[in-house]
Amino acid sequence: MRALAETSGAAWRELFDTRFSAHARSGAPSSGVWSKREWVAPDVPDATIVSTGEGMTPLYPARRLAREQGFGELFVKQCGTTHTGSFKDLGMTVLVSVVAHGLATGALSVRAIACASTGDTSAALAAYGAAAGLPVVVLLPRGLVSTAQLVQPLAHGARVLALDTDFDGCMTVVQELAARGLVYLANSMNPLRIEGQKTVAIEIAQQLGWSVPDWVVIPSGNLGNSAALWAGFSMAKELGVIDRMPRLCIAQAENANPMYRAFIEKKKAVEPVVAKATHASAIRIGNPVSAERAMGALEAMNGVVEQASEAELANACARADRSGLYACPHTGVALACAFKLRERGVIAKDERVVVVSTANALKFTEFKLAYHENRIADADPSLVNTPITLPADVEVVAKALL
C-alpha cells in the first residue's frame, strides 16, 4: 500500500479509465481484474496470467424496476455475464494465475487444485484450471446443484466427486484433504480469491464516474464476496480514488441465514446452522468460512443483514424479469432484501442502490420453470405466465389476441 500510495488517486483513475477505454475500442478480450493488476497481483507476469476476459460486466440501470419499487436509482451489476456465468471468475483468475506462476518458478508444488462448491465455484475452477492445463478436483453435494452447474466442471475435464452431504460437509472434507497436502485449496478462505473479487467494488465506482453508491446489496452464503467488497472499496478510499464508503447489505436466504441471525441477535460471531433447502442453492451454506471477515465488512461499511423467504426471492425474480432483467434466485434474494429495506425506509427514496447479481439465470432454468408452472409455494400468482395452447388456425389465434 505504501508503494501504491506514491501514485495519486487522480492518476489511478486516469490509468484505469485509459485501460478500460482501450479495451472497448480494440474489441479484444479484456479483463476487469487484470486492468487493475497493480492492486491485485503485480508480481504475476503476463506469460502466466490465466484470463477469460472476466469482469468489465454491465452496470444495468434498472429504471422501470426502480420506479415500481420506489427507489431513487437502482442498478444491477451483472456479474453473471462473465465466462462461466458467475462472480466466481473474478477470484479464480487470480488464484489460478498465481498457482501457474508458482509452478513455473518452482515456488509451488501442486498435485491438484480443489474446491468444495454449490456449483459456481466448481465451474470457475474447472474452466480456469483447464485453460492453464492444471488438474482440478471439485467436491459437490450430490443432487443439490443445478444440471447446468454440474455439467460445467464435467465438460472441462475436472474430477467431480458428488458427496452424500451438503456444502458444509464438502467443505470439511476438502479442508482436510488440503491439510494433508493432497490438494491446493481454491475456496474463498484462500485470500487470492478475495484479491480478484474485490475488483467488482472498484469497477462499480468506475462505472459510476468514480462516485460511490449509497448502498451495495449482495447475496452471500460463504461470505467471501461481502469481504471482497469491503477490501475493494476500502483500498480505493485509502488510495484517494473514491472519497467515501457505501453502506453494505448482506442478503441471505431465510433457509440459510447464520449471518442474519448473528446480526439480529447482536452477536459478535456467526454461529453455524444447518442450512435448509433453498432455490438460492449457491448460498445454501450454514457454516460460512469467511464469517469473521464479513463481520469486519459490516462494521466498516455501516452495514445491515436482511433475509428473504423462498416466496419473496421468487417473486423478486419475477418482478425483475417483468422489467427486462433475467434474475437468478441469488439475485432474487438480494433484490427482495433491497425491496424490504426500501419499504421500511432503511434505504431512503433518493438513495442510489447497486444490487450485485452474482450468477447467470440461464443456469437456473428449473427454478424459472417451477415458478411459471405455479409450483413455488406462496408465489404471487399474478406474475405467473404460462403458454396458451391453441390450434394452428389464424382465426382462433386472432380471437385469442383480441
Side-chain angles (χ1 to χ4, degrees), residues 264-279:
I264 291 298
E265 295 169 10
K266 296 181 170 55
K267 292 182 177 178
K268 297 293 185 182
V270 175
E271 297 177 359
V273 301
V274 177
K276 295 183 288 187
T278 172
H279 294 291

PDB file of all heavy atoms in Angstrom, residues 264-279:
ATOM      1  N   ILE A 264     -29.185  -9.953  13.871  1.00  0.00           N
ATOM      2  CA  ILE A 264     -30.417  -9.651  14.605  1.00  0.00           C
ATOM      3  C   ILE A 264     -30.215  -9.817  16.109  1.00  0.00           C
ATOM      4  O   ILE A 264     -30.731  -9.036  16.917  1.00  0.00           O
ATOM      5  CB  ILE A 264     -31.570 -10.549  14.107  1.00  0.00           C
ATOM      6  CG1 ILE A 264     -31.964 -10.162  12.674  1.00  0.00           C
ATOM      7  CG2 ILE A 264     -32.770 -10.470  15.038  1.00  0.00           C
ATOM      8  CD1 ILE A 264     -32.469  -8.748  12.524  1.00  0.00           C
ATOM      9  N   GLU A 265     -29.435 -10.827  16.473  1.00  0.00           N
ATOM     10  CA  GLU A 265     -29.208 -11.103  17.894  1.00  0.00           C
ATOM     11  C   GLU A 265     -28.022 -10.322  18.463  1.00  0.00           C
ATOM     12  O   GLU A 265     -27.655 -10.507  19.625  1.00  0.00           O
ATOM     13  CB  GLU A 265     -28.989 -12.609  18.076  1.00  0.00           C
ATOM     14  CG  GLU A 265     -30.233 -13.431  17.726  1.00  0.00           C
ATOM     15  CD  GLU A 265     -29.954 -14.923  17.632  1.00  0.00           C
ATOM     16  OE1 GLU A 265     -28.834 -15.342  18.025  1.00  0.00           O
ATOM     17  OE2 GLU A 265     -30.826 -15.662  17.159  1.00  0.00           O
ATOM     18  N   LYS A 266     -27.420  -9.450  17.604  1.00  0.00           N
ATOM     19  CA  LYS A 266     -26.307  -8.583  18.013  1.00  0.00           C
ATOM     20  C   LYS A 266     -25.135  -9.381  18.582  1.00  0.00           C
ATOM     21  O   LYS A 266     -24.496  -8.983  19.566  1.00  0.00           O
ATOM     22  CB  LYS A 266     -26.769  -7.529  19.018  1.00  0.00           C
ATOM     23  CG  LYS A 266     -27.796  -6.549  18.457  1.00  0.00           C
ATOM     24  CD  LYS A 266     -28.204  -5.507  19.476  1.00  0.00           C
ATOM     25  CE  LYS A 266     -29.031  -4.394  18.851  1.00  0.00           C
ATOM     26  NZ  LYS A 266     -30.218  -4.858  18.138  1.00  0.00           N
ATOM     27  N   LYS A 267     -24.832 -10.487  17.925  1.00  0.00           N
ATOM     28  CA  LYS A 267     -23.713 -11.316  18.351  1.00  0.00           C
ATOM     29  C   LYS A 267     -22.436 -10.892  17.635  1.00  0.00           C
ATOM     30  O   LYS A 267     -22.474 -10.373  16.521  1.00  0.00           O
ATOM     31  CB  LYS A 267     -24.010 -12.793  18.064  1.00  0.00           C
ATOM     32  CG  LYS A 267     -25.125 -13.356  18.932  1.00  0.00           C
ATOM     33  CD  LYS A 267     -25.358 -14.836  18.643  1.00  0.00           C
ATOM     34  CE  LYS A 267     -26.424 -15.409  19.568  1.00  0.00           C
ATOM     35  NZ  LYS A 267     -26.707 -16.837  19.267  1.00  0.00           N
ATOM     36  N   LYS A 268     -21.309 -11.121  18.280  1.00  0.00           N
ATOM     37  CA  LYS A 268     -20.018 -10.747  17.717  1.00  0.00           C
ATOM     38  C   LYS A 268     -19.482 -11.797  16.748  1.00  0.00           C
ATOM     39  O   LYS A 268     -18.560 -11.526  15.979  1.00  0.00           O
ATOM     40  CB  LYS A 268     -18.999 -10.531  18.836  1.00  0.00           C
ATOM     41  CG  LYS A 268     -19.339  -9.388  19.787  1.00  0.00           C
ATOM     42  CD  LYS A 268     -19.261  -8.046  19.092  1.00  0.00           C
ATOM     43  CE  LYS A 268     -19.475  -6.891  20.074  1.00  0.00           C
ATOM     44  NZ  LYS A 268     -19.439  -5.570  19.388  1.00  0.00           N
ATOM     45  N   ALA A 269     -20.021 -12.994  16.801  1.00  0.00           N
ATOM     46  CA  ALA A 269     -19.551 -14.084  15.940  1.00  0.00           C
ATOM     47  C   ALA A 269     -20.749 -14.799  15.332  1.00  0.00           C
ATOM     48  O   ALA A 269     -21.849 -14.820  15.895  1.00  0.00           O
ATOM     49  CB  ALA A 269     -18.700 -15.072  16.736  1.00  0.00           C
ATOM     50  N   VAL A 270     -20.524 -15.382  14.174  1.00  0.00           N
ATOM     51  CA  VAL A 270     -21.563 -16.124  13.465  1.00  0.00           C
ATOM     52  C   VAL A 270     -21.527 -17.579  13.922  1.00  0.00           C
ATOM     53  O   VAL A 270     -20.490 -18.239  13.845  1.00  0.00           O
ATOM     54  CB  VAL A 270     -21.354 -16.033  11.941  1.00  0.00           C
ATOM     55  CG1 VAL A 270     -22.367 -16.904  11.198  1.00  0.00           C
ATOM     56  CG2 VAL A 270     -21.451 -14.584  11.479  1.00  0.00           C
ATOM     57  N   GLU A 271     -22.662 -18.063  14.395  1.00  0.00           N
ATOM     58  CA  GLU A 271     -22.749 -19.454  14.829  1.00  0.00           C
ATOM     59  C   GLU A 271     -23.314 -20.311  13.706  1.00  0.00           C
ATOM     60  O   GLU A 271     -24.297 -19.924  13.057  1.00  0.00           O
ATOM     61  CB  GLU A 271     -23.641 -19.556  16.068  1.00  0.00           C
ATOM     62  CG  GLU A 271     -23.090 -18.808  17.271  1.00  0.00           C
ATOM     63  CD  GLU A 271     -24.025 -18.859  18.469  1.00  0.00           C
ATOM     64  OE1 GLU A 271     -25.109 -19.471  18.350  1.00  0.00           O
ATOM     65  OE2 GLU A 271     -23.668 -18.280  19.516  1.00  0.00           O
ATOM     66  N   PRO A 272     -22.712 -21.477  13.442  1.00  0.00           N
ATOM     67  CA  PRO A 272     -23.180 -22.328  12.347  1.00  0.00           C
ATOM     68  C   PRO A 272     -24.625 -22.779  12.551  1.00  0.00           C
ATOM     69  O   PRO A 272     -25.092 -22.952  13.687  1.00  0.00           O
ATOM     70  CB  PRO A 272     -22.231 -23.527  12.392  1.00  0.00           C
ATOM     71  CG  PRO A 272     -21.027 -23.046  13.128  1.00  0.00           C
ATOM     72  CD  PRO A 272     -21.529 -22.039  14.111  1.00  0.00           C
ATOM     73  N   VAL A 273     -25.325 -22.953  11.434  1.00  0.00           N
ATOM     74  CA  VAL A 273     -26.671 -23.529  11.441  1.00  0.00           C
ATOM     75  C   VAL A 273     -26.694 -24.657  10.414  1.00  0.00           C
ATOM     76  O   VAL A 273     -25.780 -24.781   9.585  1.00  0.00           O
ATOM     77  CB  VAL A 273     -27.746 -22.480  11.088  1.00  0.00           C
ATOM     78  CG1 VAL A 273     -27.712 -21.318  12.061  1.00  0.00           C
ATOM     79  CG2 VAL A 273     -27.591 -21.987   9.647  1.00  0.00           C
ATOM     80  N   VAL A 274     -27.713 -25.467  10.458  1.00  0.00           N
ATOM     81  CA  VAL A 274     -27.923 -26.465   9.407  1.00  0.00           C
ATOM     82  C   VAL A 274     -28.775 -25.807   8.331  1.00  0.00           C
ATOM     83  O   VAL A 274     -29.948 -25.491   8.547  1.00  0.00           O
ATOM     84  CB  VAL A 274     -28.620 -27.722   9.956  1.00  0.00           C
ATOM     85  CG1 VAL A 274     -28.894 -28.710   8.824  1.00  0.00           C
ATOM     86  CG2 VAL A 274     -27.759 -28.376  11.031  1.00  0.00           C
ATOM     87  N   ALA A 275     -28.170 -25.550   7.186  1.00  0.00           N
ATOM     88  CA  ALA A 275     -28.884 -24.870   6.111  1.00  0.00           C
ATOM     89  C   ALA A 275     -29.942 -25.792   5.511  1.00  0.00           C
ATOM     90  O   ALA A 275     -29.689 -26.967   5.258  1.00  0.00           O
ATOM     91  CB  ALA A 275     -27.903 -24.422   5.031  1.00  0.00           C
ATOM     92  N   LYS A 276     -31.120 -25.236   5.286  1.00  0.00           N
ATOM     93  CA  LYS A 276     -32.217 -25.991   4.695  1.00  0.00           C
ATOM     94  C   LYS A 276     -32.290 -25.728   3.192  1.00  0.00           C
ATOM     95  O   LYS A 276     -31.611 -24.837   2.665  1.00  0.00           O
ATOM     96  CB  LYS A 276     -33.526 -25.600   5.372  1.00  0.00           C
ATOM     97  CG  LYS A 276     -33.592 -25.982   6.849  1.00  0.00           C
ATOM     98  CD  LYS A 276     -34.936 -25.646   7.464  1.00  0.00           C
ATOM     99  CE  LYS A 276     -35.124 -24.161   7.657  1.00  0.00           C
ATOM    100  NZ  LYS A 276     -36.365 -23.831   8.405  1.00  0.00           N
ATOM    101  N   ALA A 277     -33.108 -26.492   2.514  1.00  0.00           N
ATOM    102  CA  ALA A 277     -33.231 -26.367   1.059  1.00  0.00           C
ATOM    103  C   ALA A 277     -33.700 -24.972   0.679  1.00  0.00           C
ATOM    104  O   ALA A 277     -34.597 -24.397   1.309  1.00  0.00           O
ATOM    105  CB  ALA A 277     -34.207 -27.410   0.529  1.00  0.00           C
ATOM    106  N   THR A 278     -33.075 -24.410  -0.341  1.00  0.00           N
ATOM    107  CA  THR A 278     -33.454 -23.103  -0.866  1.00  0.00           C
ATOM    108  C   THR A 278     -33.233 -23.082  -2.369  1.00  0.00           C
ATOM    109  O   THR A 278     -32.316 -23.737  -2.877  1.00  0.00           O
ATOM    110  CB  THR A 278     -32.659 -21.967  -0.190  1.00  0.00           C
ATOM    111  OG1 THR A 278     -32.938 -20.724  -0.870  1.00  0.00           O
ATOM    112  CG2 THR A 278     -31.171 -22.214  -0.228  1.00  0.00           C
ATOM    113  N   HIS A 279     -34.094 -22.342  -3.065  1.00  0.00           N
ATOM    114  CA  HIS A 279     -33.896 -22.178  -4.504  1.00  0.00           C
ATOM    115  C   HIS A 279     -32.574 -21.458  -4.793  1.00  0.00           C
ATOM    116  O   HIS A 279     -31.980 -21.657  -5.851  1.00  0.00           O
ATOM    117  CB  HIS A 279     -35.061 -21.397  -5.110  1.00  0.00           C
ATOM    118  CG  HIS A 279     -36.365 -22.132  -5.056  1.00  0.00           C
ATOM    119  ND1 HIS A 279     -36.622 -23.257  -5.800  1.00  0.00           N
ATOM    120  CD2 HIS A 279     -37.487 -21.905  -4.321  1.00  0.00           C
ATOM    121  CE1 HIS A 279     -37.839 -23.698  -5.549  1.00  0.00           C
ATOM    122  NE2 HIS A 279     -38.392 -22.896  -4.648  1.00  0.00           N
TER     123      HIS A 279
END
